Amino acid sequence: MSHGQFTNRREAGRLLAQEILKLGLENPVIMALPRGGVPLGYEVAQTLRAPLDILMVRKIGAPGNEEYGIGALVDGASPQIIIDHNAARAAGADDVYIEREVARQLAEIERRRTLYRTGPPIAVKDRVVVVVDDGIATGGTAHVALQALAQSGVSSIILAVAVAPASTLNMLSSKCDQIVCLLTPEPFFAVGAHYSDFSQTDDEEVVRLLSEAQAWSS
């Protein structure tokens, strides 16, 4: 792999799968962060003959400023809500506002689950969970996802990504039991720079891969 390039997400997923295979995991569940993490998660799940699900993280934005996150909602068999109360207070978000936003994001997650036709979330309690993404830059989403999983009673969490800066992985290391990462380029510019083809993963592909994954996990 010259210059640390992956051809596309599927290839990165196959390479990641080989590394995860070496860990000899017992009965893991593969959780992909949509949408870009799904093609990689699919390859990992197929190699490990493990169930594949998606882990949806929705940001809870501040009043009047959607982009400024005051918390997040992570779906699953028991959805986890994480609120940064200091940020919420500073942004003027009261409990009523937060409840309304949580309800709105839960509805969005439901809409996406219906769209992706994934069925109910796979129960992860007491299981090894492998969280897969195509790459991580700042780690904000992954951080919340790992934090939420830790609260849902999993036995251990492995973060598996194709590419990420070492500094981000250091920050995330306290949130999981193990990290598998294929490339840690320095300096790090962007995840997409390490893929020859980094075109958007569309909803159709997500639906197709998730339904194909049912074949070996049902």
Side-chain angles (χ1 to χ4, degrees):
M1 275 164 40
S2 57
H3 315 302
Q5 278 298 104
F6 304 113
T7 310
N8 53 29
R9 288 184 180 87
R10 297 289 288 268
E11 186 207 40
R14 286 192 286 275
L15 293 164
L16 204 51
Q18 291 312 310
E19 292 305 308
I20 296 166
L21 206 50
K22 294 174 189 170
L23 303 176
L25 304 175
E26 285 284 315
N27 195 18
V29 178
I30 313 304
M31 305 282 277
L33 291 170
R35 288 175 292 192
V38 175
L40 290 87
Y42 175 86
E43 297 292 341
V44 172
Q46 189 176 34
T47 302
L48 274 64
R49 297 323 246 186
L52 172 66
D53 200 0
I54 47 178
L55 185 61
M56 282 187 274
V57 181
R58 302 289 306 168
K59 183 157 56 178
I60 296 168
N65 184 358
E66 289 270 299
E67 281 310 298
Y68 180 73
I70 56 168
L73 177 76
V74 182
D75 94 313
S78 51
Q80 302 288 335
I81 301 159
I82 293 164
I83 302 292
D84 178 339
H85 291 286
N86 293 338
R89 267 198 302 278
D94 59 14
D95 291 351
V96 175
Y97 170 85
I98 290 170
E99 268 172 43
R100 196 174 61 228
E101 279 304 292
V102 165
R104 201 165 68 91
Q105 297 304 345
L106 268 175
E108 174 59 19
I109 284 176
E110 278 307 304
R111 189 188 70 78
R112 289 202 179 190
R113 278 214 171 262
T114 307
L115 174 73
Y116 295 156
R117 297 194 286 281
T118 57
I122 296 171
V124 292
K125 193 167 166 26
D126 301 327
R127 307 242 339 230
V128 176
V129 176
V130 182
V131 178
V132 180
D133 205 358
D134 53 8
I136 295 176
T138 58
T141 304
H143 186 266
V144 175
L146 296 174
Q147 199 173 335
L149 271 178
Q151 293 175 10
S152 54
V154 299
S155 67
S156 67
I157 302 171
I158 292 156
L159 176 63
V161 289
V163 54
S167 56
T168 298
L169 295 180
N170 287 342
M171 178 207 50
L172 294 171
S173 62
S174 65
K175 298 280 168 201
C176 55
D177 298 283
Q178 198 164 1
I179 294 178
V180 177
C181 183
L182 301 172
L183 296 176
T184 50
E186 291 296 336
F188 181 90
F189 295 113
V191 171
H194 301 281
Y195 287 84
S196 307
D197 170 15
F198 195 63
S199 50
Q200 276 282 353
T201 303
D202 58 23
D203 286 335
E204 286 72 37
E205 189 182 358
V206 171
V207 170
R208 189 172 56 78
L209 294 176
L210 287 172
S211 70
E212 281 179 26
Q214 299 285 327
W216 63 78
S217 62
S218 51

